[in-house]
Structure formats: structure tokens, C-alpha cells
């Protein structure tokens, strides 16, 4: 069983920055692929970014590439998402997710992950 707790969300003006954190339980955190997704009201949950267990590989949605950065600290069982140059359309509930299973590697898919956090709200004002 893995528990994920997100933090760091808030209200920020357009052009501003935030850093989201996701603290994870589990003794083998470094083996989990981790991802960030977001969901705006009335919309489907969408992929934002993902990182491999070692941190050596990262993946981004086109809409955030160059503005957001995913990273992890395996010693602290934490994954981060740095959000820069925020836009009003980035407003959403941001979720952290963990994949503890082996298999076909599709980190941009919701179904790839077997554990999810409760989310942290990011609101960007214009």
C-alpha cells in the first residue's frame, strides 16, 4: 500500500510560480514511476508530467513543456513539480500518482498508475 500526499498548491497571478510536492510512503519508492496529472472542473483528468524511478527519464505534456519541471528526491520519498510562467488555463486540481507495477510503460496514461493522492488546488488569476 502506498500513500501519496500532495502540498504546495495555492493562488498565484499569471506569470508566477509554484512548487508542488508529493510525499510518498513505501519502502521501495525509488522503484516507482511517478506522475502528475491535473483536472479542471468539467474536464477529464489530463497528464502533466512523469518521471522514472531513478529520475533519469522525464516526460511532459506539450502544454507544459518548457514551463514545468518534474524531479524527485528518493532519499526523501518525494516528487516535485515546479510550475513556472503559470497561465490561467493551468488552473486545476493537481494529482500525484505512483506506478508500482511492472509492465508496458505508458506514463502518460491514467491507467498506468495504481495509487493516487487527494490533489492540491492550483489557481492562476489573470
Amino acid at each position: 500500500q502506498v500513500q501519496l500526499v500532495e502540498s504546495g498548491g495555492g493562488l498565484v497571478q499569471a506569470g508566477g510560480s509554484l512548487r508542488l510536492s508529493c510525499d510518498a510512503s513505501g519502502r521501495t519508492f525509488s522503484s516507482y514511476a511517478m506522475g502528475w496529472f491535473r483536472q479542471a472542473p468539467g474536464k477529464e483528468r489530463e497528464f502533466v508530467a512523469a518521471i522514472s524511478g531513478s529520475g533519469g527519464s522525464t516526460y511532459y505534456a506539450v502544454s507544459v513543456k518548457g514551463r514545468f519541471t518534474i524531479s524527485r528526491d528518493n532519499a526523501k520519498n518525494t516528487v516535485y513539480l515546479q510550475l513556472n510562467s503559470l497561465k490561467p488555463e493551468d488552473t486545476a486540481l493537481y494529482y500525484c500518482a505512483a506506478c508500482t507495477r511492472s509492465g508496458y510503460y505508458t506514463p502518460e496514461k491514467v491507467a498506468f498508475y495504481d495509487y493516487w493522492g487527494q490533489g492540491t488546488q492550483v489557481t492562476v488569476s489573470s
Side-chain angles (χ1 to χ4, degrees):
Q1 192 78 358
V2 175
Q3 292 185 325
L4 304 173
V5 179
E6 302 97 333
S7 62
L11 173 63
V12 64
Q13 289 187 332
S17 298
L18 285 172
R19 188 174 84 154
L20 308 184
S21 298
C22 174
D23 295 316
S25 65
R27 291 177 291 178
T28 56
F29 177 74
S30 62
S31 70
Y32 308 157
M34 300 294 295
W36 286 96
F37 286 73
R38 66 188 182 186
Q39 188 166 18
K43 295 188 176 181
E44 292 187 353
R45 192 168 299 191
E46 66 171 357
F47 170 73
V48 175
I51 189 167
S52 62
S54 67
S57 297
T58 56
Y59 312 85
Y60 295 94
V62 171
S63 59
V64 307
K65 197 167 187 179
R67 300 188 299 123
F68 293 5
T69 303
I70 190 170
S71 61
R72 66 190 296 159
D73 185 337
N74 286 341
K76 295 182 178 180
N77 278 23
T78 302
V79 63
Y80 305 98
L81 186 68
Q82 178 68 40
L83 291 67
N84 295 332
S85 302
L86 282 161
K87 305 175 182 180
E89 52 264 43
D90 294 318
T91 295
L93 189 60
Y94 282 70
Y95 295 93
C96 173
C99 174
T100 67
R101 304 170 294 199
S102 58
Y104 197 63
Y105 201 74
T106 54
E108 75 281 6
K109 302 292 187 183
V110 169
F112 176 70
Y113 300 91
D114 47 344
Y115 293 97
W116 292 83
Q118 294 300 306
T120 185
Q121 179 68 38
V122 172
T123 302
V124 184
S125 63
S126 57

